[in-house]
Amino acid sequence: MLQAPDGRFSMRAFPEILCSEGEWLSKFLPLAIFGILVYVVGTLASFSYLNWHAPGLFHTNPSFRVRYKFLIADYRPDVWWWGIAFMTRNTLLAMTNVLVPTDGHMQATIFILILTTFLIFQCILWPWSNVLINVMDTVIMAALIVMSALATYFVPKLERSSSFFSVTTFIVFLFVNIAAVASVLVALNAKRKMQKGLQAAVEQAVDRLREAGAFVNDLHRASLVRKITRLPPFDRQAIQRFLGIFERV
């Protein structure tokens, strides 16, 4: 956007089009609102609804599993909802330029604040099922935060927002430092709890495995074949992966 001497704004590519005035406001504002409600809000709301019901439908409805596997299949079972958080993060980042179109410093500040918030949850939850993807996502967000902070050096600062920007910058970087310390403490505490409960979890898994083995041994082979045949394809694949793990041990 371009700001004219009289304080009005126009499009950079089409300076003759004044923002929030004339036919552009009366004709295209309703269309813009409709597009935002359908494409942005509607899409997030639809996927959120599907994600909310996914735990109950994923294993019982083959059609749902095929259509919407992309929503939860890439994440750990205990954070199956992270796909919605991922889409929300990307939507907020895309809206940064819309919220403050004429102030580059504020854009960078909001950008860093959003990335830092989601970076904290990324480090705490470690949501992706693949460790390499978790590491890559963490590194990418950290790199974006650093690049956004360095980019502010090349952005001309507006005098009218200098005091507000200074206060906001102080709050953001204070939040970043507190969040970094909190993330380390949470990670250390989670690691301590994991090590403390590892032996009990392994013993419980062994007991359940022995019970399952005894149950399978008591079944007739034909009965076991029928039971496995009736399982959904996803569950049969899970059994094959489970057996493959034991073959490699």
Side-chain angles (χ1 to χ4, degrees):
M1 296 177 64
L2 291 176
Q3 186 175 12
D6 59 359
R8 295 185 298 177
F9 292 93
S10 64
M11 296 182 63
R12 186 177 298 274
F14 304 97
E16 69 277 5
I17 299 179
L18 297 177
C19 299
S20 304
E21 291 190 14
E23 61 177 344
W24 311 111
L25 182 63
S26 61
K27 292 182 179 180
F28 292 100
L29 181 60
L31 183 62
I33 294 175
F34 176 78
I36 292 174
L37 291 177
V38 173
Y39 182 71
V40 181
V41 179
T43 301
L44 280 176
S46 300
F47 285 145
S48 299
Y49 175 82
L50 293 170
N51 201 265
W52 177 265
H53 293 281
L57 296 175
F58 192 80
H59 293 287
T60 60
N61 191 328
S63 177
F64 181 91
R65 186 163 54 247
V66 172
R67 292 179 180 178
Y68 306 113
K69 181 181 179 180
F70 69 94
L71 278 176
I72 60 177
D74 293 331
Y75 311 104
R76 294 193 295 108
D78 56 331
V79 283
W80 46 268
W81 44 264
W82 186 255
I84 300 301
F86 185 75
M87 286 189 284
T88 302
R89 183 194 75 182
N90 294 340
T91 302
L92 292 175
L93 292 176
M95 290 178 60
T96 302
N97 190 44
V98 179
L99 296 174
V100 279
T102 59
D103 193 337
H105 285 92
M106 283 305 303
Q107 290 179 7
T109 302
I110 297 174
F111 203 80
I112 292 173
L113 184 60
I114 294 172
L115 285 173
T116 303
T117 302
F118 281 92
L119 179 59
I120 294 169
F121 287 107
Q122 165 70 23
C123 294
I124 294 175
L125 299 174
W126 214 241
W128 298 89
S129 58
N130 189 295
V131 176
L132 180 59
I133 300 179
N134 279 306
V135 174
M136 290 180 60
D137 199 16
T138 303
V139 171
I140 289 172
M141 282 194 285
L144 287 174
I145 291 173
V146 174
M147 288 189 292
S148 299
L150 295 176
T152 58
Y153 176 80
F154 303 97
V155 179
K157 186 167 61 175
L158 300 177
E159 293 297 332
R160 60 181 175 83
S161 62
S162 58
S163 59
F164 177 73
F165 173 74
S166 300
V167 175
T168 306
T169 303
F170 173 76
I171 294 174
V172 168
F173 281 97
L174 181 63
F175 172 74
V176 169
N177 284 276
I178 294 175
V181 174
S183 298
V184 173
L185 294 177
V186 169
L188 292 176
N189 186 49
K191 184 178 180 181
R192 181 181 60 82
K193 289 183 177 180
M194 184 180 300
Q195 291 176 346
K196 184 178 180 180
L198 179 61
Q199 185 63 30
V202 171
E203 292 179 357
Q204 184 181 10
V206 170
D207 292 339
R208 294 183 62 184
L209 185 61
R210 290 171 62 89
E211 292 175 1
F215 174 76
V216 171
N217 286 332
D218 292 340
L219 286 177
H220 191 271
R221 186 178 186 279
S223 176
L224 183 60
V225 169
R226 286 195 300 269
K227 287 182 177 294
I228 295 179
T229 303
R230 294 171 184 171
L231 292 175
F234 182 84
D235 292 337
R236 291 199 298 269
Q237 293 175 4
I239 293 176
Q240 292 176 352
R241 287 195 297 267
F242 175 78
L243 296 175
I245 293 174
F246 269 83
E247 291 176 356
R248 294 193 298 268
V249 173

